[in-house]
Amino acid sequence: MTEFLNNYPILTLVTFLPLVGAFVILFMKNEVNIRWTALLFTVVDFIVSLPLVCYFNTATHKMQFVERYSWIPSWNISYYMGIDGISVLFVFLTALLGWICILASWKAIEKKVKEFMIVILVMQTAMIGVFCALDFFLFYLFWEAMLIPMYLIIGVWGGERRIYSAVKFFLYTLAGSVLLLVGIIVLYFAGGNTFDILSLMNQNYSFTVQFWVFLAFFVAFAIKVPMFPFHTWLPDAHVEAPTAGSIILAGILLKMGTYGFLRFAMPMLPEATHYFTMPILLLSLVAIIYGGYLALAQEDLKKLVAYSSVSHMGFVTLGLFVYNTTGIEGGILQMLNHGISTSALFLCVGVIYERTHTRKISAYGGLAKVAPVYTTFFAIFMLSSLAIPGTNSFIGELLIIVGAFGYNKVIAGVAVLGAGLGAAYLLGMYKRVALGEITNEHLKEVWDLDAREIIAMVALVVFVVWIGLYPKPFLNVMHASTEHLLKQITVTPPQ
Amino acid sequence: MQFNIINIIASMPEIIVIAAACLLLMVDLFLSKRQKHLMAYLAIAVVIIAAIQTWRIEGVRPLYIFDRLFVVDSFATFFKTIFYLSTFLAILLSMNYIKIEDIEHSEYYILMLFALSGMMIMASGADLITIYLGLELMALPVYLLTGFMRKDIRSNEAAMKYIVLGALSSGILLYGISLIYGLTGTTQLSYIAASLKGGAKVDSALILATIFLIAGFGFKVAAVPFHMWAPDTYEGAPTSITAFMSVGPKAAAFAVFLRVMLHALAPISFNWIAIVAVISVVTMIFGSVVALVQTNIKRMLAYSSIGHAGYALLGFVAGGADGIASVMLYLFIYTFMNMGIFGAIIVMRKGGFSGENIEDYTGLAKVHRGMALLMLIFLFSLAGIPPTAGFVGKFYIFMALIHKGFISLAVIAVIASAIAAYFYIRIVMLMYMKEPAREFDVAQTSATRLALAIAAFGTIIIGILPAWAIDFVQRAVFR
């Protein structure tokens, strides 16, 4: 089987299958058929992505399932795809969230269904491409190509202030990525006229080059994460985006920022990475605490989850920059966890919004009485986001904090405080929404989950519990690559 | 000068276009009013015949003819390809439009052919005199075409401004040429380069001459601070002519600008590089920022076109084969995407509705999915978002710049492009995210369909598979 997989362009298949689906939908008319076709393509894409995980060789840090074809010879650019222990997890996550997004939009999207499904499928291709690309030009192409569909998803199918949010999202992200482009081209010339990511990792750049390129990369990736103080686009985008948009944003787009650090900034620019460690760790701590505080004060369910994302992503960046296996593996695992738990929370918010058309926390109360199944799932995801032992995030945050203790005790101590904040806002929210007496007459008309919604939620619960109780397979997959990454970033710190 | 049959064969495309234009003037007399539209097909036939002839004589080695006044090389062939393409697309887009505007006279197409011949002579000019000749031959018909809507006051104003400022800039250019002749004793580009290389000391007169040349050409490509004519002219001219002159004559001006700066004056590039760098930065920023506040789409595209000239000028700063090739690729791509967006605007013109206000596009996606999608592709390409061709064009320029170490210029350029993205996506926003405020009636004919399809195809295919286009321009760089 492995032999078979290595001989066939499976990564290309996983990446471009959704795009093929978008093309097919382009020629369809019936809305019901369009929904089913979109679902079919995303499910098949998910199934095709499974062998990537099942037959992944965990013993090596080398790129697997590699495909390489010359593309633009005069600039030495090739179509170069491959995954290692880090990216395989996110290819899988993207494929998983793909069909969940379609399910989440089944009823929520009523106007322009055809366009929506096309845009979501195009987005899916671009996102998987980002994680598979091993050529910097190809990577940048996928990275920027995400902007157009995401802009449309927020702007066309969003809430009331959708246009403002869409434009803000677009310009914010574009401003970051154009600097990334300059950084990429500088590395191309500094690294011997190549866009090959692997060979760019093996160069020794002068500290000046590293310093400036790191700054350019940092702005681009920090906006995507988003790190404090670049986070202001996130709440707007999240609040206005339709449920599927929020899931994509929280589940995958935010991961691209941290993935960028892992794949490019750290291994390519180790000295600059060390140079900037302290500021980044401090910004992470600010994000953890400040994001948590902001979440405490939110009246809007989506905004609350959005600010909790800022806090949680703070944990991820903290874990990545403490330079030990525990911390980095915790960070990567937490990226995956956040993709699952926060997407699930947005799914929950979307489900209830479809029924009540409000996201105001004060409009709810006592939901558990009318929709017990829903509140049970909600509770599981809330607890998972809160990092209760037995859930996925517990493992992730624990590893990060242990890793941080190994680096600096004060930083770790502050991070623990931030974890406490999480309990405050999440439990508070849950209490006000689900528990107590029914405060609002409308809520009595709320119906419980249907089969479609249960399928989507169960799929996510499986991973919450699996990673929570037995994270070993996931850690195994990333272990070799993490060790290799650590080796790459071990340098003598500059004087 | 001894007569040689080679001269005739090598300049056959120019001879064909000019002779055919004169012939068509006479043919016009025999056409009844109903048959006037046939002129468009005849003009297209002329363009195609000239194109075939051009590619037939295309050789790798540059061929100098007419006493080295005129050169046939792959650089000229490349630019002629752009001219044929833009003329062809402009004619396709004009056929129905000039009927709607009630300006369907045969002279319209004939003047276009004359302008085309001027551009071709510019691209092949190996001597400042030939270049000037071509420039004027191109400019005069375009002045006329700008004012072709005689009853429209804006069209008159546009032509007036264009001709007055154009004459002024031609004067400045001529003065520059005469200074160069006085200093080097020649107007032949290669000889100028040779004499400057041969240890000619750089004096203030030479700098003055360079500045005059830059000002003259800067006017033609609408670079700040010589851009003043562009917004009014673009707005007032018939839209089909705006489309034509924002691509063809502009590319022609860039072709001679490239030859003069990076061939004749290349040995003293240290003298003018800072001037061009400053002009390009100001042009980029000015074009992007002022476009933000426009309400008329033609005016907005005029400023956008100013901004794009700024990016192309960055290629001059980079210099060398890559710098030249990057400008050429940029112009090639610009032909497709700019013709495309103007084509979309032209098609919107029907009945009492002009389609000139940006607000007019509100909700277009609801009514005309196809048109909105096309405009989306062209606008994102103009903004330089992958996977469209516009990105590839910008990318090459940034590569050339950074290769030569102009990293801060590249940073300024990318920031300007991020600003510029706003006004492009604003139109997308209006089309896709707002409810339509009025009925849309699109004047789509099979000719405009073909033109839009060619433009869209070029915009997408160069974005995804740019290798052939890059090879194409790299082979065509003059040496």
Side-chain angles (χ1 to χ4, degrees), chain A residues 26 71-75 77 111-112 114-115 137 140-142 144-148 151-152 154-156 162-163 166-167 170-171 174-175 178-179 181-186 188-189 193 195, chain B residues 329 365-366 369 376 380 384-387 391-392 395-396 398-400 402-403 407 410-411 414-415 417-419 421-422 425-426 428-429 432-435 463-467 470-471 474:
Chain A
L26 199 59
W71 182 21
I72 310 175
S74 38
W75 295 342
I77 292 171
K111 54 169 194 174
K112 300 188 188 166
K114 177 173 165 175
E115 284 87 344
F137 184 86
Y140 190 80
L141 216 67
F142 282 126
E144 284 279 89
M146 289 187 312
L147 276 183
I148 306 175
Y151 171 66
L152 293 175
I154 300 175
V156 178
R162 59 180 195 273
I163 293 177
V167 172
F170 190 92
L171 293 184
L174 183 67
V178 291
L179 289 176
L181 178 64
V182 176
I184 290 174
I185 301 177
V186 170
Y188 170 83
F189 289 115
N193 292 15
F195 284 111
Chain B
L329 182 66
K366 266 247 160 71
R369 281 178 181 167
L376 176 127
F380 275 115
I385 310 286
F391 170 69
V392 177
F395 189 81
Y396 198 4
F398 296 152
M399 287 255 288
I402 291 173
H403 186 44
I407 295 171
V411 171
V414 295
I415 290 172
S417 77
I419 297 173
Y422 175 74
I425 64 162
R426 189 164 70 114
V428 175
M429 181 264 285
Y432 276 86
M433 301 174 193
K434 294 244 168 112
E435 292 303 307
I464 296 171
L465 298 170
I470 297 163
D471 287 346
Q474 282 179 342

Side-chain angles (χ1 to χ4, degrees), chain A residues 447-470:
Chain A
W447 62 97
D448 214 332
L449 299 183
D450 59 24
R452 163 184 68 89
E453 290 156 343
I454 291 179
I455 291 173
M457 297 217 180
V458 166
L460 293 168
V461 167
V462 167
F463 289 96
V464 167
V465 179
W466 185 0
I467 302 177
L469 297 180
Y470 189 60

Side-chain angles (χ1 to χ4, degrees), chain B residues 395-477:
Chain B
F395 189 81
Y396 198 4
I397 287 192
F398 296 152
M399 287 255 288
L401 261 187
I402 291 173
H403 186 44
K404 291 285 164 69
F406 296 102
I407 295 171
S408 43
L409 268 184
V411 171
I412 295 173
V414 295
I415 290 172
S417 77
I419 297 173
Y422 175 74
F423 57 80
Y424 298 119
I425 64 162
R426 189 164 70 114
I427 303 178
V428 175
M429 181 264 285
L430 285 173
M431 289 192 306
Y432 276 86
M433 301 174 193
K434 294 244 168 112
E435 292 303 307
R438 55 174 202 88
E439 300 271 306
F440 286 98
D441 192 8
V442 175
Q444 191 77 273
T445 62
S446 41
T448 55
R449 273 203 195 92
L450 176 62
L452 287 173
I454 293 172
F457 180 76
T459 309
I460 294 170
I461 205 75
I462 300 177
I464 296 171
L465 298 170
W468 65 271
I470 297 163
D471 287 346
F472 184 35
V473 295
Q474 282 179 342
R475 272 201 311 270
V477 172

Side-chain angles (χ1 to χ4, degrees), chain A residues 157-448:
Chain A
W157 292 275
E160 273 166 33
R161 291 174 68 239
R162 59 180 195 273
I163 293 177
Y164 167 79
S165 307
V167 172
K168 188 170 179 181
F169 163 80
F170 190 92
L171 293 184
Y172 231 112
T173 342
L174 183 67
S177 34
V178 291
L179 289 176
L180 174 67
L181 178 64
V182 176
I184 290 174
I185 301 177
V186 170
L187 276 192
Y188 170 83
F189 289 115
N193 292 15
T194 178
F195 284 111
D196 179 343
I197 288 171
L198 297 184
S199 59
L200 284 176
M201 286 177 185
N202 296 328
Q203 309 286 334
N204 284 320
Y205 307 104
S206 72
F207 184 71
T208 329
V209 169
Q210 290 200 21
F211 180 88
W212 291 107
V213 173
F214 188 89
L215 273 185
F217 282 14
F218 176 78
V219 172
F221 297 143
I223 286 175
K224 269 264 160 58
V225 172
M227 289 175 74
F228 177 87
F230 303 107
H231 65 282
T232 56
W233 63 271
L234 182 76
D236 284 310
H238 265 317
V239 170
E240 300 306 329
T243 306
S246 291
I247 293 177
I248 289 177
L249 265 176
I252 300 149
L253 248 61
L254 304 195
K255 308 300 163 305
M256 289 181 179
T258 40
Y259 176 76
F261 281 120
L262 278 172
R263 173 69 76 233
F264 308 111
M266 295 166 79
M268 288 178 190
L269 315 163
E271 287 168 26
T273 307
H274 281 282
Y275 184 82
F276 283 105
T277 299
M278 237 340 136
I280 290 178
L281 288 180
L282 288 179
L283 286 181
S284 308
L285 286 183
V286 172
I288 293 174
I289 304 289
Y290 181 68
Y293 263 110
L294 287 176
L296 266 179
Q298 298 308 317
E299 261 303 301
D300 182 308
L301 279 171
K302 267 191 164 178
K303 261 202 170 139
L304 188 144
V305 184
Y307 279 114
S308 83
S309 286
V310 175
S311 178
H312 288 150
M313 291 310 285
F315 273 105
V316 175
T317 45
L318 180 70
L320 297 186
F321 283 90
V322 296
Y323 310 120
N324 51 48
T325 318
T326 329
I328 294 180
E329 287 190 353
I332 299 171
L333 189 66
Q334 191 60 6
M335 281 160 73
L336 190 64
N337 291 337
H338 181 261
I340 292 165
S341 310
T342 309
S343 302
L345 281 179
F346 276 119
L347 182 64
C348 288
V349 176
V351 162
I352 198 69
Y353 180 79
E354 277 173 45
R355 290 158 168 75
T356 61
H357 298 284
T358 177
R359 289 188 304 259
K360 270 199 150 11
I361 297 179
S362 54
Y364 293 98
L367 263 187
K369 290 209 167 80
V370 284
V373 182
Y374 170 75
T375 39
T376 311
F377 278 113
F378 195 17
I380 295 172
F381 296 131
M382 184 270 299
L383 291 174
S384 143
S385 184
L386 199 162
I388 287 290
T391 63
N392 52 353
S393 301
F394 173 72
I395 310 289
E397 285 193 13
L398 184 73
L399 288 174
I400 291 172
I401 289 172
V402 170
F405 263 111
Y407 185 80
N408 184 322
K409 294 197 170 53
V410 181
I411 288 176
V414 178
V416 173
L417 284 181
L421 263 180
Y425 59 78
L426 284 166
L427 288 174
M429 171 194 72
Y430 188 75
K431 176 181 154 265
R432 290 173 66 193
V433 170
L435 306 180
E437 292 304 310
I438 296 174
T439 52
N440 196 327
E441 281 303 304
H442 299 299
L443 294 181
K444 289 196 175 144
E445 290 153 26
V446 167
W447 62 97
D448 214 332

Side-chain angles (χ1 to χ4, degrees), chain B residues 63-106:
Chain B
L63 177 64
Y64 286 91
I65 55 173
F66 294 126
D67 247 1
R68 295 183 75 89
L69 283 171
F70 195 90
V71 63
V72 179
D73 56 3
S74 34
F75 180 78
T77 308
F78 171 82
F79 272 98
K80 283 174 197 171
T81 310
I82 290 187
F83 305 151
Y84 297 137
L85 189 66
S86 57
T87 312
F88 175 63
L89 293 178
I91 293 174
L92 285 181
L93 292 171
S94 300
M95 286 158 74
N96 194 35
Y97 175 79
I98 59 173
K99 237 178 250 163
I100 292 172
E101 293 287 2
D102 198 21
I103 47 170
E104 195 179 22
H105 308 288
S106 307

